[in-house]
């Protein structure tokens, strides 16, 4: 995963997408098909979280955020500038990275099953503060 800086992103953000030759972010090149990649990552993420219990907090939060962003992208169509402005989380390439990272985490969460009961119960005083011995 790449680390990005929103301050650097903001410098390029004011420039219309069509006029940008680069993202202005080291290590993050312009994506050849950002909308296709973004929609695919959002849909894949929704498919993965659908395999989790409806009561799982992770599913609820990711489903809400991803559905909202997918709806925004579908509503605004090919207007990348409007998508970037409406979502407000960086350039389209950064959104693709975020979506792909969330998809990766969703797959791991499905494997880890954090909604299941713990295999070992925590010590009775595990969450007591201040810690005393």
């Amino acid at each position: 995963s790449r680390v990005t800086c929103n301050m650097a992103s903001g410098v390029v953000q004011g420039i219309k997408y069509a006029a940008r030759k680069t993202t202005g972010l080291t290590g993050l090149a312009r994506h050849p098909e950002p909308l296709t990649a973004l929609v695919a990552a959002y849909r894949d993420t929704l498919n993965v979280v659908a395999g989790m219990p409806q009561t799982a907090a992770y599913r609820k939060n990711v489903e809400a955020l991803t559905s909202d962003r997918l709806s925004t992208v579908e509503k605004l169509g090919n207007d990348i500038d409007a998508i970037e402005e409406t979502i407000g989380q960086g350039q389209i390439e950064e959104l693709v990275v975020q979506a792909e990272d969330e998809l990766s985490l969703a797959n791991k969460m499905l494997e880890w099953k954090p909604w299941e009961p713990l295999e070992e119960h925590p010590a009775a005083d595990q969450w007591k503060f201040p810690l005393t011995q």
Side-chain angles (χ1 to χ4, degrees), residues 18-124:
R20 287 186 224 148
K21 291 183 175 36
T22 72
T23 63
L25 299 170
T26 302
L28 185 60
R30 274 193 51 150
H31 196 289
E33 294 289 334
L35 290 175
T36 302
L38 190 58
V39 168
Y42 286 157
R43 287 186 178 150
D44 289 348
T45 299
L46 290 172
N47 286 334
V48 170
V49 298
M52 298 174 186
Q54 290 181 339
T55 56
Y58 178 78
R59 174 185 174 162
K60 290 179 187 179
N61 288 297
V62 170
E63 212 166 38
L65 177 70
T66 305
S67 295
D68 182 61
R69 287 187 176 188
L70 178 59
S71 173
T72 296
V73 172
E74 291 174 339
K75 180 178 71 176
L76 297 174
N78 292 329
D79 189 346
I80 291 177
D81 296 312
I83 291 168
E84 290 176 346
E85 184 176 328
T86 302
I87 293 177
Q89 293 296 313
Q91 296 176 47
I92 194 78
E93 290 83 3
E94 291 175 287
L95 296 176
V96 170
V97 169
Q98 293 165 17
E100 290 172 347
D101 286 350
E102 193 66 60
L103 174 58
S104 175
L105 178 58
N107 280 305
K108 289 175 184 173
M109 294 291 270
L110 191 59
E111 177 187 335
W112 297 332
K113 298 178 172 69
W115 51 84
E116 290 185 351
L118 296 174
E119 290 180 10
E120 296 178 21
H121 293 286

Side-chain angles (χ1 to χ4, degrees), residues 3-20:
V3 176
T4 60
C5 175
N6 282 333
M7 281 180 45
S9 174
V11 173
V12 176
Q13 192 106 23
I15 300 171
K16 296 278 186 205
Y17 178 78
R20 287 186 224 148

Side-chain angles (χ1 to χ4, degrees), residues 118 122-131:
L118 296 174
D125 63 347
Q126 178 173 336
W127 302 113
K128 279 187 166 180
F129 294 95
L131 297 175

